[in-house]
Amino acid sequence: MPTRAQYSNAYRQYRKLEADLKALEDQVAQANKELDYHSFLLSELEDARLDNEQQDELEQEVKELEHAEEIKFKLTSALQSLTESEYCATSAMKEAATLLGQITSYSEQARELKNRLDSCLIELHDIADEIEVVERRTEGDPARIDELQGRLNVLYNLQRKHQVRDVVALLAVRSDLRDKVGSVLNLDKQINRLRRDAEGALSAVKKQAGRLSEARRKVFPKFEKELVALLADLGMPNSRVVVQHQEGPPATSGIDVISILFTANKGAQPQTLSKAASGGEFSRLMLCIKYMLADKTALPTIVFDEIDTGISGEIAVKVGRMMQQMARKHQLITISHLPQMAAAGDAHYFVYKEDRADRTVSNIRVLNLEERIQEIAQMISGANPSQHAYQSARELLAMRGEELVG
């Protein structure tokens, strides 16, 4: 795998780990902001001892204790109605059973009815016994009422606070808070693991970056020499180019921070392009760099927007030839006002604006040979070209091998 591809893979892995680490750190920071509050809420629920709590049983016990006096009175009255009053149910049923027993030898139905009454009497005695037991056990207990009311108030307050309706829902809230509080510790462990992974990935990035940087530094002298030779061919024989290299933090393309220092004048020290190059010099310099890169870069289309600014004459012809060589491997689109550029292309497209009723529209059309000669002649001498301009246009086209007609 090429050095640049190896570095790109390592850098992508490092950046992903770094992004994952940043996201996790943000998550922990947010969790830590909420940790104290969640811990407080959890402590309240833990202190409430909610496990196996039956709220409805507590509420029922309070209700019974609060009405203990009434319950005791009603149970006593019921017991008396069954067993002690003059016309109690037990006496009446016993009398009825005795009467039925006197005729059982005559009537089978009477026997069955008496048996049923005997069974009812047994049930009635059981009911009376249970009423008596419940009545004796029923006592008012203010202390117990206060205890239960206090317990229920805790549950009611927690339910209002967490906006739930019962103890089961409170248990779910407690479980969720336990998870949130516990997850902070787990997140810390994940952060430590990611940090180790990111540190390892950064080491790999730096290692690959070093190899990439070394490979680049080896070609600097060759790059400078080829660029100076191309500039000399374009009319700048005294040019000097120096590739200035520094190392920076890892980035998408590596750790190299590269500046191209340039001078076109003999005896002058190379400087940054903004200080050392005129418009025409800068155009030629950029064209030469793109010319060198085009042979090594898989670009299907290259667009030059007036890269010929500041050049003319024979230099423009040489620039046109360079573009023709580039066009052998790439689709080259050049926007230019120079006749030499226009003549060098395989096709000539004319861009013009057309005013319509409501707006202005830009149009483009390909020129045939005669139209091309006309347009290049106008580039040479203006709107009304002379015969000399037409002849120059034909000569420029002939230089690229066009077969002229007429």
Side-chain angles (χ1 to χ4, degrees), residues 392-403:
S392 296
R394 291 187 177 91
E395 289 175 358
L396 287 173
L397 287 169
M399 290 172 64
R400 62 167 299 279
E402 284 278 0
E403 181 181 356

Side-chain angles (χ1 to χ4, degrees), residues 1-17 201 204-205 208 212 251-252:
M1 183 183 293
T3 305
R4 175 61 187 274
Q6 290 175 329
Y7 173 80
S8 296
N9 288 339
Y11 184 73
R12 278 195 300 270
Q13 293 175 9
Y14 164 67
R15 289 293 293 169
K16 182 181 184 306
L17 287 170
V205 166
Q208 294 296 338
L212 180 60
T252 305

